[in-house]
Amino acid sequence: MKIAYDNQIFNLQKYGGISRYYTELASQLYDKSIDTKIFAGLHRNEYIKKYDASFVIGKQITYLPKTASIFLNTNNVLADSYFNIKRPDIVHRTYYNNKNKLKKSINVITVYDMIHELFPDDFSAKDNTADLKSITIKQADHVICISESTKKDLLKIYDIPESNVSVTYLGYHSLRNIKSNFIEDGNIDNLDRPFLLFVGHRGGYKNFLKFLKAVSISKRLVKDFDIVAFGGGKFSLDEKRYISELGFHEDQVKNIQGGDDILSILYSKATLFVYPSLYEGFGLPPLEAMDHGCPVICSNTSSIPEVVGNAALKFSPLDIEDMNCTMEKAIYDCSIRDNLVLAGLERTKNFSWEKCAANTLKVYRSIL
């Protein structure tokens, strides 16, 4: 069996969850002596730069701008030309920017979520991801979804046979052994009070503002805890204004930027990880938190219950009172907290990149 992954996500992402997924998946198969190639062309990705030409075909261009569509289009043409000559059994498209269907190989695409379709108002009117995605899905011979929830949403929106859709869960990287002295735009040394942790982008369906509101209605939580929002860029003026209106004192709600090294430290120090998102295609942060022995509470929507199982307390993300009560229960009831920590460490054993690759390989073999 010959398997090939195209260039798209490696041209678009220097770092990122999707390019990490494909790097882990492809490298697992390659290490098992399966004929696997990534055709990356001129790329900007950090994850694949360490591999030699027997696995990754391409060259990293460190100054390649993120919006360099000319490079992406050129790479698309070169990749398709290579695939038409080499004729791999399966070509796995890594994103939605290539509109061409390869006739000499089986075309596979992974769908991560249906956020663009379900939350269109969270995106710019110029964002054409949903249109490109629609074309790619309809052209694909097989679609892989990263959760049963995503598969369910996909089949509701697109008229494609269920037999053409499979589910393979993601793996995840343990961050606990990462060591670095580099800190970007944020000093973690001044975290002298216990804190609640939020990770990632904060706008729209990520539901950060309701999380702040849920904390603010509890005098006990406000008295005992700071809030740390990791990543997602610096707070906007509107966010700062809202934080002040809720009554948090100066510097009680902190924004810290950085890499996985800093995130690992925050997971280890946090009293509680809160994941209030309205929708996720999978959601890795709860697993990362569990891996660090940090108790997790999360939304009871979309794929999130699939991922956390019984290892997290769940709440309705639109119900501020419910979110607040769940936070207090997880923090102030020691037996519940201890059980969450133990259950979380056990839950992470269900997800690995090795398992993800093995299940994906089963899908490939089933469609040949």
Side-chain angles (χ1 to χ4, degrees), residues 202-254:
R202 301 183 297 273
Y205 68 94
K206 292 295 187 178
N207 210 30
F208 178 66
L209 298 185
K210 279 195 169 56
F211 161 55
L212 291 179
K213 179 67 173 177
V215 176
S216 74
I217 64 174
S218 168
K219 292 181 180 180
R220 193 178 185 186
L221 289 177
V222 173
K223 173 179 173 291
D224 293 344
F225 294 96
D226 286 350
I227 296 170
V228 172
F230 175 82
K234 295 181 179 179
F235 289 139
S236 67
L237 291 177
D238 286 342
E239 285 176 318
K240 290 179 179 178
R241 188 179 301 113
Y242 188 69
I243 289 168
S244 177
E245 290 173 355
L246 289 177
F248 292 107
H249 61 73
E250 188 176 1
D251 293 331
Q252 187 173 3
V253 183
K254 308 173 190 296

Side-chain angles (χ1 to χ4, degrees), residues 58-78:
K59 179 178 176 59
Q60 186 187 44
I61 308 294
T62 55
Y63 56 84
L64 182 64
K66 185 177 181 180
T67 56
S69 58
I70 186 170
F71 284 97
L72 177 59
N73 293 334
T74 300
N75 280 329
N76 287 349
V77 172
L78 292 173

